[in-house]
Amino acid sequence: MPAILLAMLVGLNLRPSMAAIGPLVERIQADIAISYAQLALLTTLPVLAMGAGCFIAVALARRCGADRLIGGSLLMIALADGLRLAGHGVATLLITALVAGIGIAGIQALLPALIKQQARQRTPLVMGWYIAAIMGGAALAATLAATLADLTGSWRASLALWGLVALVAFLAWQRRGPVLPDTGKDKEQRDRRASLYRQPRVWTLAIFFSLCASGYACVLAWLPPYYMELGWTESAAGLLLGYLTALEVVAGLVLPALAQRRADRRPVLFIPLTCSLAGFLLLWHTPDSSPWFITTLLGIGLGGLFPLSLIVSMDHHPDAQRAGDITAIAQGAGYSLGALTPLIAGVIRDQLGGFEWAWAGLAGTTLLMALIALRFDPRHFSTVIRD
């Protein structure tokens, strides 16, 4: 199996652990005593783990090897999903969410460097396919969650079945795992990596990615419950999220392909930023008026922002390993900060009885992203990141 196709198979497993939760909220609450804030932790914990894991994944890869780390991460995801079948309380759900997030982190920290090393000038296009696989996994999980629960007679089984997909990816990885770039064993490379933490542009990229992750995580966690509160059935709400994530797949392919045609990614970057802003404003103000149009805007917006934020991060250095280190830091800090959004939205729902102000806040963060994006002029990349 070609390395890029294998990376896509791995990417397919990076969202179902979270995406399958939202459409099953009512079944979970009917079975176990769990608040909206606790439900938010099922998205917040894995995203926090993804953030923390990105900081340590490269160091772990130096000790055990990147191929082993990715294989072990796939096993962690499979184990976390499978254990949901046996769990009977909130604690099991929270623990498995955390374990899955750690597994996801190990993969996300290493694959961008692999893609840049092997794809070179075609990196935006290949990143688009990798991100499309991630979004595709979310779309399948959201769309099929209620159906699988009906077929198996258990929401636990619906969540656990995704562990089989992770197991298949693990077996494929073990059989034909690609050689990943050397993560660096000498002190000079470690010192160069550590120096990135002192560079302002790296943290600007981290803030940008955190705002992107905030919108994605909040929509993933709360869009189905939001529309179920407006009278939608869980199957219809799950289909809505599935439609949104399917559009994210399309946007994740098309927009990076457009971005590949020019060194300055900003004109393309403002397409998903505009769509996201409009989508969040409509979701806040008139969610009932045109839900499918709203989710179309959000699908294009969130689906395009995720790969483009990674591409812009990797653009900041021509060396694959250096670019991978920058991207790992941006993802680590970004996921750590972005993880708080679903929890904050859950608390807002518990205290105010609705999610409307959460969507308004996300519209504001999208405006902030647009201001930050203006600074991503490729003519200055060689000066803002020092070697």
Side-chain angles (χ1 to χ4, degrees):
M1 182 182 294
I4 298 304
L5 290 180
L6 186 55
M8 290 177 62
L9 177 60
V10 173
L12 192 65
N13 292 277
L14 302 187
R15 292 298 179 270
S17 298
M18 296 180 288
I21 295 291
L24 299 174
V25 161
E26 289 187 349
R27 300 190 194 214
I28 296 173
Q29 287 184 317
D31 193 22
I32 59 178
I34 184 170
S35 68
Y36 278 93
Q38 289 173 320
L39 280 167
L41 287 174
L42 298 181
T43 299
T44 297
L45 283 177
V47 178
L48 277 174
M50 287 156 60
C54 285
F55 287 118
I56 64 174
V58 175
L60 287 175
R62 289 201 307 269
R63 295 178 177 272
C64 64
D67 285 331
R68 289 183 179 179
L69 180 59
I70 290 179
S73 297
L74 285 167
L75 276 183
M76 291 183 71
I77 295 171
L79 177 64
D81 289 341
L83 286 176
R84 288 175 168 177
L85 185 62
H88 297 286
V90 176
T92 299
L93 287 175
L94 295 178
I95 291 171
T96 54
L98 182 62
V99 172
I102 294 171
I104 293 168
I107 296 168
Q108 290 189 158
L110 298 174
L111 277 183
L114 163 68
I115 291 172
K116 185 176 179 70
Q117 183 200 47
Q118 296 194 352
R120 301 184 185 278
Q121 297 302 318
R122 297 176 66 246
T123 293
L125 182 61
V126 178
M127 279 295 296
W129 282 102
Y130 164 59
I131 298 301
I134 296 177
M135 301 298 185
L140 288 172
T143 304
L144 297 177
T147 301
L148 290 175
D150 289 336
L151 290 174
T152 60
S154 168
W155 60 265
R156 292 183 177 86
S158 177
L159 297 176
L161 283 172
W162 295 103
L164 296 177
V165 182
L167 187 59
V168 169
F170 167 76
L171 294 174
W173 185 266
Q174 292 298 104
R175 183 178 179 184
R176 294 290 300 276
V179 177
L180 294 176
D182 183 12
T183 53
K185 296 183 179 180
D186 56 41
K187 184 177 185 300
E188 180 182 354
Q189 287 177 308
R190 292 195 298 271
D191 290 344
R192 290 182 69 216
R193 187 176 299 113
S195 71
L196 290 174
Y197 290 96
R198 298 188 294 271
Q199 302 199 30
R201 175 49 63 92
V202 174
W203 293 106
T204 299
L205 292 168
I207 292 171
F208 188 83
F209 191 85
S210 73
L211 298 177
C212 174
S214 295
Y216 178 80
C218 203
V219 167
L220 191 67
W222 296 124
L223 185 71
Y226 183 51
Y227 274 98
M228 282 188 279
E229 289 185 348
L230 296 176
W232 290 48
T233 66
E234 60 182 16
S235 295
L239 181 61
L240 189 68
L241 181 59
Y243 170 71
L244 184 147
T245 50
L247 283 175
E248 288 176 339
V249 173
V250 176
L253 289 172
V254 173
L255 293 177
L258 291 176
Q260 182 176 291
R261 299 181 180 182
R262 54 189 306 150
D264 191 344
R265 320 290 191 192
R266 289 176 294 177
V268 178
L269 190 55
F270 273 90
I271 296 174
L273 282 170
T274 302
C275 289
S276 291
L277 177 60
F280 283 127
L281 287 174
L282 289 172
L283 198 60
W284 164 49
H285 191 59
T286 56
D288 273 331
S289 61
S290 51
W292 295 99
F293 177 63
I294 293 172
T295 51
T296 298
L297 290 172
L298 290 174
I300 295 171
L302 298 175
L305 284 174
F306 186 36
L308 289 173
S309 63
L310 294 178
I311 290 166
V312 168
S313 295
M314 290 189 292
D315 282 345
H316 276 73
H317 206 283
D319 178 70
Q321 186 56 55
R322 191 70 164 165
D325 290 341
I326 294 169
T327 305
I329 294 171
Q331 287 187 90
Y335 280 126
S336 297
L337 295 173
L340 300 177
T341 308
L343 180 59
I344 293 171
V347 172
I348 289 173
R349 166 60 183 79
D350 284 337
Q351 297 299 317
L352 303 181
F355 292 106
E356 289 79 8
W357 288 107
W359 307 128
L362 288 171
T365 63
T366 305
L367 281 174
L368 179 58
M369 290 181 71
L371 294 175
I372 295 173
L374 292 172
R375 305 180 62 187
F376 294 152
D377 187 338
R379 293 173 298 181
H380 302 151
F381 285 169
S382 60
T383 59
V384 295
I385 298 291
R386 301 185 303 275
D387 283 331

